[in-house]
Every structure is written in C-alpha cells, then in structure tokens.
Amino acid sequence: GPWGHGVGVVATAFMLLNFLYAARKRWESLRTLGEMRSWLRFHVFVGFMSPLVIAFHAAFQSRNQLATGTAIALAVVVFTGIVGRFIYGLVPSVEGHVEALEALVEKFEGLRERAKPILEKSRNPRRLTSTLDLATRKVPSRSLLGLVVRLPLSALRVRFGIWRVRRYLPDPRSRRRFHDDLVRLNRVRHQIAFYDALRALLRGWRVFHATLAVFLVLVMAAHIGLSLYLGYGLK
C-alpha cells in the first residue's frame, strides 16, 4: 500500500546517499566540503541504518525470492563495509594517518644513520656492513600472512648476525648500541612492509565492496521494476 511503498521510496533514497562518499573522494568540486573522515562516518552510519529502513519497508517479511536476494545482497555489502572500515583504521594512507608512515620512514633512516659511525670504529667494517644490510634491506612484497610468518624468522636471523660480529666492536657500549639499533631497524622495516601490504589489501577490498554495491543497486532496480510491472504502485 501507500505506506509500505512510501517507506520503500525513502529507504531507496536513503541507501543511495552512500554513494556521496565515493563522489566526495573523486569529484574535485566536492574536495572542500568537510573532512574525509566525517564523510566516512556518514557513509558507515547510512550503511548500518539501511537494513533497518528496508526491514520497515518489507514489514519485517520476505515473501519472494527477489526481495530475499536484495536483502542478502544488502547484508553482504554491509558486512564487507565493516571489514573494510576495520582495515581502513589500520592503514596509514588516508588523512590523519599518512604521518604515521612518514614517521616510520624517518625513524628508519635515523636509525640507519646512527649505526654507521659504529662501523667506522670496528675492526672489521665489511662484516658489520653486511649485518647492517641484513636489517635494512627492503622486505619483499608479500601477503599479510607471509609477513607475520617472516617477522620472527627475520628477527632471529638479525640477532644471530649481530652475535657473529660482536667481537669486531671495540667495547660493550658499542655492542649494545649496535644490537639495539639493528633490532629496531629490522622491526621498523617490517612495519613499513606491513603497512604497504595493508594498503594493497584495502585497494582490493574497496573494489570488491564497490562491485557488490553496484550489484545491489541493480537488484534493487529489478525489485522496483518488477513491483511496478505487477501493478504495485503508490496508489
């Protein structure tokens, strides 16, 4: 009846507000309208509220396969949005987080420069340089799971390399400093690789989430078209 269809029109318009977030990200004319973080909060709010509004439209019932398929598609889109929002909070590639990655890179470079004077005082700079390279070389691009498995193995390898060259350092203080700096360098380089892998995961997840959202819109259009074809209008 008019009430149910009226709620359906409002619910559809409400759900389509989710695409304002994508428009804000891509349209230059909207770049000055508020912070991206606020738009994301609105996007998440609309995403969570959409199933509730649609449930009222359906009077908390599902009497045909197309409506059921629309509800399932909506649930999947909301779920992928929740996962994507969690990943978004971990990745330093958006406003407010990019400084974190820059700080890691700066810290990495500072630790590497601080370790170099110790090499000059050692009795075998070549051996210490190879150990330093072990802790500073770029981590190969891997999956998040691969990085998690690789980190403890890499930490053991670096510590073993430090233990092998400790006799070439002039005094206990230099040994302790060289040890601490290389352990931190190894940790920071894996943090940088971890963030890079997270950003790659987020890019892929965005495509997946957006594809599902477009599919949902198509299913909604089919649902509306079928109801109009069968004579269910606002009258």
Side-chain angles (χ1 to χ4, degrees), residues 9 24 30 36 46 65 78 95 101-102 104 106 124 145 149 166 187 189 200 227 235:
V9 171
R24 165 64 176 80
L30 298 178
M36 204 65 207
V46 173
Q65 293 181 350
V78 171
E95 295 178 12
L101 183 57
E102 292 177 349
L104 279 177
E106 183 177 349
N124 193 336
L145 181 60
V149 173
R166 71 189 189 286
R187 186 182 302 118
R189 76 187 181 110
S227 64
K235 295 182 180 180

Side-chain angles (χ1 to χ4, degrees), residues 178-192:
F178 187 72
H179 172 275
D180 292 346
D181 286 350
L182 263 65
V183 168
R184 291 175 184 171
L185 275 167
N186 188 57
R187 186 182 302 118
V188 171
R189 76 187 181 110
H190 277 85
Q191 287 176 333
I192 294 172

Side-chain angles (χ1 to χ4, degrees), residues 88-125:
Y88 179 98
L90 297 176
V91 180
S93 63
V94 293
E95 295 178 12
H97 294 275
V98 68
E99 294 84 359
L101 183 57
E102 292 177 349
L104 279 177
V105 175
E106 183 177 349
K107 181 180 180 181
F108 180 82
E109 295 297 334
L111 286 170
R112 184 162 60 179
E113 291 300 319
R114 197 173 79 167
K116 287 182 179 179
I118 301 177
L119 305 182
E120 300 174 358
K121 300 177 183 178
S122 69
R123 293 189 293 271
N124 193 336

Side-chain angles (χ1 to χ4, degrees), residues 79-175:
F79 175 75
T80 58
I82 294 172
V83 176
R85 179 64 184 88
F86 173 74
I87 299 173
Y88 179 98
L90 297 176
V91 180
S93 63
V94 293
E95 295 178 12
H97 294 275
V98 68
E99 294 84 359
L101 183 57
E102 292 177 349
L104 279 177
V105 175
E106 183 177 349
K107 181 180 180 181
F108 180 82
E109 295 297 334
L111 286 170
R112 184 162 60 179
E113 291 300 319
R114 197 173 79 167
K116 287 182 179 179
I118 301 177
L119 305 182
E120 300 174 358
K121 300 177 183 178
S122 69
R123 293 189 293 271
N124 193 336
R126 186 180 61 83
R127 291 290 302 275
L128 266 73
T129 299
S130 63
T131 306
L132 177 63
D133 292 340
L134 188 65
T136 57
R137 68 181 60 160
K138 184 178 179 180
V139 178
S141 299
R142 294 176 180 268
S143 65
L144 287 175
L145 181 60
L147 288 172
V148 171
V149 173
R150 184 185 177 88
L151 178 57
L153 297 176
S154 176
L156 288 175
R157 191 180 300 114
V158 169
R159 289 175 186 272
F160 179 69
I162 297 171
W163 179 80
R164 290 181 60 188
V165 300
R166 71 189 189 286
R167 64 181 181 274
Y168 300 123
L169 293 166
D171 53 72
R173 182 180 178 183
S174 297
R175 293 179 195 134

Side-chain angles (χ1 to χ4, degrees), residues 45-59:
F45 169 74
V46 173
F48 274 118
M49 290 297 296
S50 293
L52 180 61
V53 179
I54 290 298
F56 273 99
H57 162 62

